[in-house]
């Protein structure tokens, strides 16, 4: 494959990767998990292809420098655009991650607060007693037997 062919393919992969990053960035709020998995798969494949092309081009430095300045300038400009798209994507992903972490922490706090409230259970003798908390916020009936309930229909 000639240097010109590699440059052409790198441009194509870079445009595809930039397009994918932009779609992912704008779709983070609305993507279903299955759609996001598809984005990750596609992004991984394009990223590997991009990296392979960059490595091949670096090994052909002489030929790359011999290319017309116009082509090299276009490639530098494209790389700058790609870096900006990747930066925006990274910020969006970090924001989504932080939001998810805050949501999970809020849920954990709510569950812990709810589990600290007074909870009443009934023992075998049908007497009410205060439940004690076991591991993971579960209530434990400390009487000698388990709790029973009766469902009678008239």
């Amino acid at each position: 494959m000639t240097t010109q062919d590699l440059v052409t393919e790198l441009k194509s992969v870079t445009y595809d990767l930039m397009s994918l990053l932009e779609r992912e960035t704008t779709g983070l709020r609305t993507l279903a998990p299955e759609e996001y998995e598809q984005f990750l798969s596609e992004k991984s494949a394009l990223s590997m292809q991009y990296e392979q092309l960059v490595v091949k081009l670096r090994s052909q430095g002489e030929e790359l420098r011999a290319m017309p300045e116009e082509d090299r300038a276009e490639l530098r400009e494209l790389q700058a655009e790609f870096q900006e798209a990747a930066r925006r994507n990274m910020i969006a992903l970090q924001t989504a991650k932080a939001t998810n972490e805050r949501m999970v922490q809020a849920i954990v706090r709510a569950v812990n607060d709810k589990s600290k409230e007074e909870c009443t259970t009934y023992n075998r003798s049908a007497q009410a007693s205060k439940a004690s908390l076991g591991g993971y916020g579960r209530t434990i009936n400390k009487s000698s037997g388990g709790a029973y309930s009766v469902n009678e229909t008239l």
Side-chain angles (χ1 to χ4, degrees):
M1 186 176 274
T2 68
T3 302
Q4 187 61 45
D5 292 340
L6 284 173
V7 168
T8 302
E9 190 173 346
L10 178 62
K11 287 178 185 178
S12 175
V13 169
T14 303
Y15 281 123
D16 290 345
L17 192 52
M18 285 172 48
S19 173
L20 178 74
L21 291 175
E22 291 296 332
R23 286 187 325 217
E24 181 184 40
T25 300
T26 56
L28 274 174
R29 292 180 191 98
T30 58
L31 284 177
E34 311 82 47
E35 291 174 299
Y36 190 70
E37 289 295 325
Q38 177 64 34
F39 266 100
L40 290 179
S41 175
E42 196 175 335
K43 186 163 64 169
S44 177
L46 283 172
S47 295
M48 284 191 298
Q49 190 177 3
Y50 174 85
E51 188 175 341
Q52 289 171 350
L53 289 167
V54 168
V55 168
K56 283 181 185 177
L57 272 176
R58 283 186 182 149
S59 70
Q60 297 182 2
E62 286 295 319
E63 294 92 350
L64 193 58
R65 282 187 286 281
M67 288 180 63
E69 177 56 34
E70 176 182 294
D71 291 341
R72 290 186 293 149
E74 182 185 355
L75 190 57
R76 281 191 300 270
E77 190 175 302
L78 179 60
Q79 293 306 306
E81 289 176 28
F82 171 69
Q83 292 299 320
E84 180 59 25
R87 186 191 65 76
R88 284 191 307 269
N89 183 256
M90 181 184 68
I91 290 170
L93 289 171
Q94 288 172 341
T95 302
K97 179 183 175 194
T99 300
N100 286 339
E101 286 173 355
R102 283 193 307 272
M103 187 180 299
V104 167
Q105 288 170 357
I107 291 168
V108 168
R109 277 194 307 274
V111 168
N112 285 336
D113 290 348
K114 188 71 176 168
S115 70
K116 290 177 186 173
E117 292 178 6
E118 198 167 305
C119 181
T120 304
T121 61
Y122 297 93
N123 62 20
R124 273 189 167 171
S125 305
Q127 296 174 337
S129 62
K130 182 178 176 189
S132 62
L133 295 177
Y136 305 105
R138 292 178 301 192
T139 58
I140 297 176
N141 190 344
K142 287 193 173 181
S143 66
S144 60
Y148 293 93
S149 67
V150 178
N151 185 6
E152 291 184 22
T153 309
L154 298 174

